[in-house]
Amino acid sequence: ETSTLISVWLIRAYAFVYWGSYLLSWLVIPITTAYTVSGAFDFTTRAQNALRENMRTWILSLIALIAGCIYATIVHGFSFGTIRGLLISFGNSLGLLVVIMALGSGLVGFPSALLQFVNYEERLRYCEFRAAELMERLEDARGQLALAMGEVVRIGRKFDAGKVTAYNPAESLERLRYCYSIIANEMPVNDAGVDDAVVRFPQPAIDDVSGEDAVNGDQPSISLSEMDLADIRGNLQRKAIEFRKVSYLWREQCKLAFELQDLIEWKNNSSAGGSGQATDDFRSQSSMTRARSTQYLNVYVLPVVCRILALFFAAVSVLVIFAECTLWSVKVFKTPFNLSPFSFALHSPWLDSRFSIQLYCFAVVLFFAMCFLFAIFRFSF
């Protein structure tokens, strides 16, 4: 009786976790994400924008669900279990598709990445090309952000000159001024600790009349609505986020390139009989020993370990692919041969205890998880 009660509670807990994650994936996370990036100024408008942003995906999913229900009703008859099964199949099908793609990529890419990780010369060349590409993206993001900031400044001068009128008669000019003040307060500014001129926020790019013409009011009038200001706010937020992201990636890539160059120079100096002063000049005297120990491990120990692991994981990947290609030989089809190495290991006398079988399965699943996570974090969405 106790075991039956525990099983019931485990089933309920699993159902709660499963359907809770289902709601998070299809409702909570999409709505929250769209609500966050919305440029509207009140909760109701931002919530409406979030719902409108995800409405297309929900409508297409609902059409697919209705089509599946019609097919299942014709074939098996309608029941609430049919709807539940279709919802589960939708989530599992998408998840399994991602797992298959990521696992297939990770089986090949994970051992190869271990070999490339200790090839410092090749990684340095890649970092240099990557840094140049990120610099181009950074300049483009800087230009786009400068235009967005210039648009905000231009509208502010329109407000100061009294050249702004409400496009919607239901909206007052005071409401528009309040919305603009929110945008002006959210204008990105440089931190005091930022000393790199490359990653500093740009000056607003203004292509409108300014100076004495702005003071004298020689500017054309414009009509604005709260929705127009919301679009300007959202555009400014997106451009600022893009600039921060690209500037961070560029700095990290340059930092990695400098570290790889130091390792290569230290390796060349140590091979030539030097003591690596070229890489220790910028370090304090107290940290030289620790820095040299770290460089010795990175230059001589880490490459050996990574190459051994890469060869081992490559052999396991080959066995996995071979096992997938020999599924027909498993005794499901009552054939006399079993060519799957994993199935052969499970039925071998070496795994004669429950603990050894569980440990073996855990090791295989752990390898799959490493390949999957490696591929997932390398994908660019």
Side-chain angles (χ1 to χ4, degrees):
E1 183 179 356
T2 304
S3 61
T4 304
L5 183 61
I6 294 176
S7 301
V8 171
W9 278 106
L10 285 177
I11 293 174
R12 291 178 179 177
Y14 175 78
F16 175 79
V17 172
Y18 181 85
W19 293 112
S21 61
Y22 206 96
L23 291 177
L24 285 174
S25 301
W26 287 88
L27 292 178
V28 178
I29 295 178
I31 293 176
T32 305
T33 303
Y35 179 88
T36 303
V37 300
S38 176
F41 300 95
D42 57 271
F43 173 80
T44 304
T45 308
R46 298 184 75 175
Q48 291 175 356
N49 293 339
L51 294 175
R52 192 181 302 112
E53 185 73 20
N54 296 280
M55 193 61 65
R56 180 182 300 178
T57 302
W58 293 339
I59 290 176
L60 293 177
S61 302
L62 182 61
I63 292 174
L65 178 62
I66 293 175
C69 289
I70 294 174
Y71 174 78
T73 302
I74 295 174
V75 177
H76 304 287
F78 177 79
S79 64
F80 290 102
T82 302
I83 300 178
R84 183 178 61 182
L86 288 173
L87 290 175
I88 294 175
S89 65
F90 281 163
N92 291 349
S93 298
L94 181 60
L96 287 176
L97 178 62
V98 175
V99 168
I100 291 172
M101 295 175 58
L103 188 57
S105 175
L107 288 174
V108 179
F110 184 53
S112 176
L114 286 176
L115 292 176
Q116 295 175 359
F117 180 76
V118 293
N119 191 348
Y120 298 129
E121 290 79 5
E122 183 178 350
R123 287 180 62 194
L124 178 59
R125 290 193 297 269
Y126 174 79
C127 287
E128 292 172 349
F129 285 110
R130 179 64 174 164
E133 179 185 356
L134 289 174
M135 175 58 72
E136 295 179 0
R137 288 181 56 187
L138 184 60
E139 292 299 329
D140 181 69
R142 177 183 286 107
Q144 296 294 329
L145 179 59
L147 292 176
M149 295 171 64
E151 181 69 13
V152 176
V153 173
R154 185 179 67 86
I155 293 177
R157 292 180 177 179
K158 297 284 188 180
F159 274 109
D160 295 338
K163 297 295 183 179
V164 176
T165 58
Y167 180 80
N168 189 355
E171 298 174 351
S172 62
L173 191 59
E174 288 75 14
R175 173 63 179 177
L176 296 180
R177 287 183 179 275
Y178 170 74
C179 295
Y180 172 78
S181 65
I182 295 177
I183 301 176
N185 292 331
E186 293 178 352
M187 285 274 286
V189 294
N190 293 302
D191 297 332
V194 177
D195 55 354
D196 194 344
V198 178
V199 297
R200 294 178 67 87
F201 288 110
Q203 295 296 324
I206 306 172
D207 56 356
D208 203 348
V209 293
S210 58
E212 296 181 358
D213 295 334
V215 176
N216 297 330
D218 297 336
Q219 300 187 61
S221 299
I222 59 174
S223 297
L224 291 176
S225 65
E226 186 175 339
M227 187 62 66
D228 295 331
L229 293 176
D231 294 337
I232 294 174
R233 183 190 183 191
N235 181 61
L236 178 64
Q237 291 176 348
R238 288 189 295 270
K239 301 305 180 184
I241 292 174
E242 178 68 15
F243 180 80
R244 289 190 180 99
K245 181 183 71 174
V246 178
S247 61
Y248 170 79
L249 294 175
W250 180 80
R251 295 193 69 170
E252 290 299 315
Q253 202 70 32
C254 293
K255 180 181 177 181
L256 178 59
F258 290 140
E259 293 176 354
L260 292 174
Q261 187 175 1
D262 290 340
L263 284 176
I264 294 173
E265 291 180 358
W266 190 89
K267 179 181 179 181
N268 295 333
N269 291 334
S270 62
S271 300
S275 57
Q277 291 87 354
T279 59
D280 291 331
D281 290 341
F282 67 96
R283 298 185 177 94
S284 61
Q285 190 69 26
S286 60
S287 62
M288 280 188 179
T289 303
R290 182 168 58 87
R292 289 177 181 175
S293 301
T294 303
Q295 289 175 336
Y296 181 84
L297 292 176
N298 290 330
V299 171
Y300 295 106
V301 178
L302 186 61
V304 176
V305 175
C306 287
R307 290 188 178 98
I308 293 175
L309 291 177
L311 292 176
F312 173 75
F313 289 141
V316 177
S317 297
V318 172
L319 291 178
V320 170
I321 297 173
F322 181 77
E324 292 293 329
C325 295
T326 56
L327 288 175
W328 56 271
S329 66
V330 183
K331 295 182 179 179
V332 175
F333 300 103
K334 298 181 180 181
T335 55
F337 302 103
N338 186 4
L339 300 179
S340 175
F342 295 97
S343 177
F344 179 79
L346 283 175
H347 295 87
S348 66
W350 302 336
L351 302 178
D352 54 353
S353 64
R354 181 178 300 178
F355 176 76
S356 60
I357 294 177
Q358 291 178 349
L359 185 62
Y360 169 76
C361 295
F362 174 77
V364 175
V365 173
L366 179 62
F367 173 70
F368 288 165
M370 290 189 298
C371 295
F372 171 76
L373 294 176
F374 168 80
I376 282 293
F377 287 107
R378 286 191 59 156
F379 284 165
S380 298
F381 295 100

